[in-house]
Amino acid sequence: MMMRGTLLGFAAALALAAPAWSEDFRITMPAAGVDASTDGRVILVIAADSSKAPIAQVSADFDGAQVFGINVDGLKPGGSVSIGPETFGFPKPFLTAVPAGEYTVQAVLHKYQTFKLANGKTVKLPAARGAGQNWREEPGNIVSEPIKISFDPARPGTITVPLTKVLPPIAEPKDTEFVRHIKVRSDMLSKFWGTDVYIRGHVLVPRDFDRHPEARYPLAIYHGHFPENFNGFRTTPPDETAPCVPSARFGLPCYNRTEQQEAYDFHNSWVSDKFPRILIVEIDHSNPYYDDSYAVNSANLGPYGDAIMKEFLPALEAKFRGLGQGWARFTYGGSTGGWEALAVQLFYPDDFNGAFAACPDPVDFRAMTVFNLYDDKNAYWQQGPFGRTARPAHRNWLGQVSRTMADDNHLELVLGDKTRSGGQWDIWEAVYSPMGSDGYPQRIFDKRTGVIDPKVAAYWRENYDLVHIMKRDWAKLAPKVAGKIHLYVGDMDNYYLNNAVYLAEDFLKSAEPAANAEVKYGDRFEHCWNGDPNVSNALSRLRYNTMYMDKMLARMQATAPKGADLTSWRY
């Protein structure tokens, strides 16, 4: 059931010579209103469902739209590029395999910028322009209108899809009573990338922040994916007149109102007399590879870890009167943010007093979701002497699989070669891999076949496998992180992230000196369970900012050094 045949179909298509002719597509640039020369990736989407925009239907799941992608270099106004029989696609590998039918199509040109890196390499990548590396929305990208077509690969001819609209800039958010913003130029990252690089923060300040200039505040970093602003905080009750937006995942007909209610409830707690006065920040460290840097130093992304810790945080705590000491800093988050929370606690152990990591991305690469990065030969297939089984990539709480490892990665390869898709596997590769001779990340495995490169895997292990690093460096880490590590995950995590947490638990339970860590599992909970067994994921995912507050307060009270300020912020 799990073998979708993606690789089999791809291999079969390779074995057959592409026909000398077949119907193809020509994507055209506007004649005016665009740059004199444009580099990037042209993405063509073919959808069977005409009820919504084709670009909104791109997914690695079995019911996703058909996608093709091709690079352009120096495309001129009025110019064009062809998507033909040899252009690689997903889920069908070539146009000749797409069934004849009536479809809606849409195209996007995802623009690249040329970066001249400090090490002398030159790379072309999509700059972070305010949409969190969402190629559907990035300012400056050029999109077409959805067009209804009749397509038949068996007939000759060309279907023209004109790019018509340049996406406009996105305004930066404005300060309010509770949510303030900070933008810090990073000297470290600007040097690495050869251009100005900024880190932004969306800061939730306490009640009466401006009335208490004498107060100095603890800081919590809520790590996670790109935040367009501070999320989950609302000063007014839910809008009962707003049209309902259902959640298919949670089966709730008006989930937008649930989100609004939780955000308003958080506001009411935040301003109450009993709630502690602290700062919470969500960091925008979107970059040319992804919506998030993983908050660590990287050969390909640059020194984001040091830039956040040594440039951004000091500026934030100076502007918003943070205490600026490790005993008064905490970090938490889920998924990507969960991995980051644990990673920064380990990489900067004196600078944080606790990490609350929910459903973290793989913290042990022996369980890189469903395969062992070091012992297995192939990321896509379990191989036996006579047969093989596709490795799953996504399941629901009943174990029903919607896509495979090959599906995830073949879609990424269509959206961008050279680790430029902005997808999950590509960002792990960009963060964890050494840089290749061409300036782009070295592949951890062949993107088409899944064959793992053991030399690159060894580099991943020594630099970013968090359980391996804890084992290797425990004598030095233990005095600094004991009692600070908290891990939470559902045992039916959609992305199999519980597998690595099991291995982390094995180490933390047996570690000497004792880790005094907390590890909890949610029975039959999916991604991203964060520690509350009494409410559904639909609610608990909206409560990160209150979930761990009592534990943070208790930790500060127990570990603050003599003379530390435990009072100015308790008004």
Side-chain angles (χ1 to χ4, degrees), residues 9-48:
F10 174 67
L14 282 182
L16 297 173
W21 52 262
S22 69
E23 194 160 34
D24 59 13
F25 291 84
R26 185 169 66 100
I27 316 302
T28 62
M29 281 283 277
V34 295
D35 295 339
S37 179
T38 301
D39 302 330
R41 184 78 169 180
V42 169
I43 299 166
L44 174 69
V45 185
I46 304 173

Side-chain angles (χ1 to χ4, degrees), residues 182 202-206 216-223 230 270 277-283 308-309 312-318 320-332 351-354 356 549 552 556 569:
I182 184 171
H202 310 306
V203 185
L204 185 66
V205 300
R216 297 294 181 269
Y217 301 99
L219 174 68
I221 299 177
Y222 181 10
H223 271 304
F230 193 92
W270 186 252
R277 310 301 173 209
I278 71 168
L279 304 169
I280 304 177
V281 63
E282 293 190 41
I283 305 175
I308 291 171
M309 296 303 302
F312 177 75
L313 284 189
L316 182 152
E317 289 174 324
F320 297 105
R321 305 195 306 272
L323 285 162
Q325 299 176 35
W327 69 268
R329 288 197 199 108
F330 295 84
T331 181
Y332 54 82
D351 293 321
F352 293 99
N353 204 8
F356 300 84
M549 194 61 63
M552 291 190 291
M556 283 190 284
W569 49 278

